[in-house]
Coordinates of all heavy atoms in Angstrom, one line a residue:
H27 N 6.4 -8.5 6.8 CA 5.3 -8.2 7.6 C 4.8 -9.4 8.3 O 5.1 -10.6 7.9 CB 4.1 -7.6 6.7 CG 4.5 -6.4 6.0 ND1 4.5 -5.1 6.6 CD2 5.0 -6.2 4.7 CE1 4.9 -4.2 5.7 NE2 5.3 -4.9 4.6
P28 N 4.1 -9.2 9.4 CA 3.6 -10.4 10.2 C 2.8 -11.3 9.3 O 2.1 -10.9 8.4 CB 2.7 -9.7 11.3 CG 3.3 -8.3 11.4 CD 3.7 -8.0 10.0
A29 N 2.9 -12.6 9.7 CA 2.2 -13.6 8.9 C 0.7 -13.7 9.1 O 0.2 -14.6 9.8 CB 2.9 -15.0 9.1
S30 N 0.0 -12.7 8.6 CA -1.4 -12.7 8.7 C -2.0 -12.0 7.5 O -1.4 -11.1 6.9 CB -1.9 -12.0 10.0 OG -1.8 -10.6 9.9
F31 N -3.2 -12.4 7.1 CA -3.8 -11.8 5.9 C -4.0 -10.3 6.1 O -3.7 -9.5 5.2 CB -5.1 -12.5 5.7 CG -6.0 -11.9 4.6 CD1 -5.7 -12.2 3.3 CD2 -7.0 -11.1 4.9 CE1 -6.5 -11.7 2.2 CE2 -7.8 -10.5 3.9 CZ -7.5 -10.8 2.5
D32 N -4.6 -9.9 7.2 CA -4.9 -8.5 7.5 C -3.6 -7.6 7.5 O -3.6 -6.5 7.0 CB -5.7 -8.4 8.8 CG -7.1 -8.9 8.7 OD1 -7.6 -9.0 7.6 OD2 -7.6 -9.4 9.7
A33 N -2.5 -8.2 8.1 CA -1.3 -7.4 8.2 C -0.7 -7.1 6.8 O -0.4 -5.9 6.5 CB -0.3 -8.1 9.1
V34 N -0.7 -8.1 5.9 CA -0.1 -7.9 4.6 C -1.0 -7.0 3.8 O -0.5 -6.1 3.0 CB 0.2 -9.3 3.9 CG1 0.7 -9.1 2.5 CG2 1.2 -10.1 4.8
L35 N -2.3 -7.3 3.8 CA -3.2 -6.5 3.1 C -3.2 -5.0 3.5 O -3.3 -4.1 2.7 CB -4.6 -7.1 3.2 CG -5.7 -6.5 2.2 CD1 -5.3 -6.8 0.8 CD2 -7.1 -7.1 2.5
Q36 N -3.1 -4.8 4.8 CA -3.1 -3.4 5.3 C -1.8 -2.7 4.9 O -1.9 -1.5 4.5 CB -3.2 -3.4 6.9 CG -3.2 -2.0 7.5 CD -3.3 -2.0 9.0 OE1 -3.5 -3.1 9.6 NE2 -3.1 -0.9 9.6
A37 N -0.7 -3.4 4.9 CA 0.5 -2.8 4.4 C 0.5 -2.4 2.9 O 0.9 -1.3 2.5 CB 1.7 -3.8 4.6
A38 N -0.1 -3.3 2.1 CA -0.3 -3.0 0.7 C -1.3 -1.8 0.5 O -1.1 -1.0 -0.4 CB -0.8 -4.2 0.0
D39 N -2.3 -1.8 1.4 CA -3.3 -0.7 1.3 C -2.6 0.7 1.6 O -2.9 1.7 1.0 CB -4.5 -1.0 2.3 CG -5.6 0.1 2.2 OD1 -5.9 0.5 1.0 OD2 -6.1 0.4 3.2
E40 N -1.8 0.7 2.6 CA -1.1 1.9 3.0 C -0.1 2.3 1.8 O 0.0 3.5 1.5 CB -0.3 1.7 4.3 CG -1.2 1.5 5.5 CD -0.4 1.1 6.7 OE1 0.8 0.9 6.6 OE2 -1.0 1.0 7.8
A41 N 0.5 1.4 1.2 CA 1.4 1.7 0.1 C 0.5 2.2 -1.1 O 0.9 3.2 -1.8 CB 2.1 0.5 -0.4
L42 N -0.7 1.7 -1.3 CA -1.6 2.1 -2.3 C -2.0 3.6 -2.0 O -2.1 4.4 -3.0 CB -2.8 1.2 -2.4 CG -4.0 1.7 -3.3 CD1 -3.5 1.7 -4.8 CD2 -5.2 0.7 -3.2
Y43 N -2.3 3.9 -0.8 CA -2.6 5.3 -0.4 C -1.5 6.3 -0.8 O -1.8 7.4 -1.3 CB -2.9 5.3 1.1 CG -3.3 6.7 1.6 CD1 -4.6 7.2 1.5 CD2 -2.4 7.5 2.2 CE1 -5.0 8.4 1.9 CE2 -2.7 8.8 2.6 CZ -4.1 9.2 2.5 OH -4.4 10.5 2.9
R44 N -0.3 5.8 -0.6 CA 0.9 6.7 -0.9 C 0.9 6.9 -2.4 O 1.3 8.0 -2.9 CB 2.2 6.1 -0.4 CG 2.3 6.3 1.1 CD 3.6 5.6 1.7 NE 4.6 5.4 0.7 CZ 5.3 4.3 0.6 NH1 5.0 3.2 1.3 NH2 6.3 4.2 -0.3
A45 N 0.7 5.8 -3.2 CA 0.7 5.9 -4.6 C -0.4 6.9 -5.1 O -0.2 7.7 -6.0 CB 0.5 4.5 -5.3
K46 N -1.6 6.9 -4.5 CA -2.6 7.8 -4.8 C -2.2 9.2 -4.5 O -2.4 10.2 -5.3 CB -3.9 7.4 -4.1 CG -4.6 6.1 -4.5 CD -5.4 6.3 -5.7 CE -6.3 5.1 -5.9 NZ -7.1 5.3 -7.2
A47 N -1.6 9.4 -3.4 CA -1.2 10.7 -2.9 C -0.1 11.3 -3.8 O 0.1 12.5 -3.9 CB -0.7 10.7 -1.5
D48 N 0.7 10.4 -4.4 CA 1.9 10.8 -5.2 C 1.5 11.1 -6.7 O 2.3 11.2 -7.5 CB 3.0 9.8 -5.2 CG 3.7 9.8 -3.8 OD1 3.5 10.7 -3.0 OD2 4.4 8.8 -3.5
G49 N 0.2 11.1 -6.9 CA -0.3 11.5 -8.3 C -0.9 10.4 -9.1 O -1.3 10.6 -10.2
K50 N -1.1 9.2 -8.5 CA -1.8 8.1 -9.1 C -0.9 7.6 -10.3 O 0.1 8.0 -10.6 CB -3.2 8.4 -9.6 CG -4.1 9.0 -8.5 CD -5.5 9.3 -9.0 CE -6.4 9.9 -7.9 NZ -7.7 10.2 -8.4
L51 N -1.5 6.5 -11.0 CA -0.8 5.9 -12.1 C 0.6 5.5 -11.8 O 1.6 5.6 -12.6 CB -0.8 6.8 -13.3 CG -2.2 7.2 -13.9 CD1 -2.1 8.2 -15.0 CD2 -3.0 5.9 -14.3
C52 N 0.9 5.0 -10.6 CA 2.2 4.6 -10.1 C 2.1 3.5 -9.1 O 1.0 3.2 -8.7 CB 3.0 5.8 -9.6 SG 2.3 6.5 -8.1
Y53 N 3.2 3.0 -8.6 CA 3.2 2.0 -7.6 C 4.1 2.4 -6.5 O 5.0 3.1 -6.7 CB 3.6 0.6 -8.2 CG 5.1 0.5 -8.5 CD1 6.0 0.0 -7.5 CD2 5.5 0.8 -9.7 CE1 7.3 -0.1 -7.7 CE2 6.9 0.7 -10.0 CZ 7.8 0.2 -9.0 OH 9.1 0.1 -9.3
R54 N 3.8 1.9 -5.3 CA 4.7 2.1 -4.2 C 4.8 0.8 -3.4 O 3.8 0.0 -3.3 CB 4.2 3.2 -3.2 CG 4.1 4.6 -3.8 CD 5.6 5.1 -4.1 NE 5.6 6.4 -4.6 CZ 5.7 6.7 -5.9 NH1 5.8 5.7 -6.8 NH2 5.7 7.9 -6.4
I55 N 6.0 0.5 -2.8 CA 6.2 -0.7 -2.1 C 6.2 -0.4 -0.6 O 6.9 0.6 -0.2 CB 7.5 -1.4 -2.5 CG1 7.5 -1.8 -4.0 CG2 7.8 -2.7 -1.6 CD1 8.7 -2.4 -4.5
A56 N 5.5 -1.1 0.2 CA 5.4 -0.8 1.6 C 6.7 -1.0 2.3 O 7.5 -2.0 2.0 CB 4.3 -1.7 2.3

């Protein structure tokens, strides 16, 4: 991901949203 705090944090946040949508108690990699 682009070398910026917001870009990496946003990518992790989007992956977290997918983990929540997939039933929680899991992880997803952006």
Side-chain angles (χ1 to χ4, degrees):
H27 300 276
S30 73
F31 174 81
D32 290 334
V34 178
L35 191 63
Q36 181 179 352
D39 185 38
E40 292 173 356
L42 173 63
Y43 180 82
R44 284 176 27 225
K46 291 278 191 181
D48 289 344
K50 305 180 180 180
L51 298 177
C52 62
Y53 74 88
R54 295 292 182 264
I55 300 178

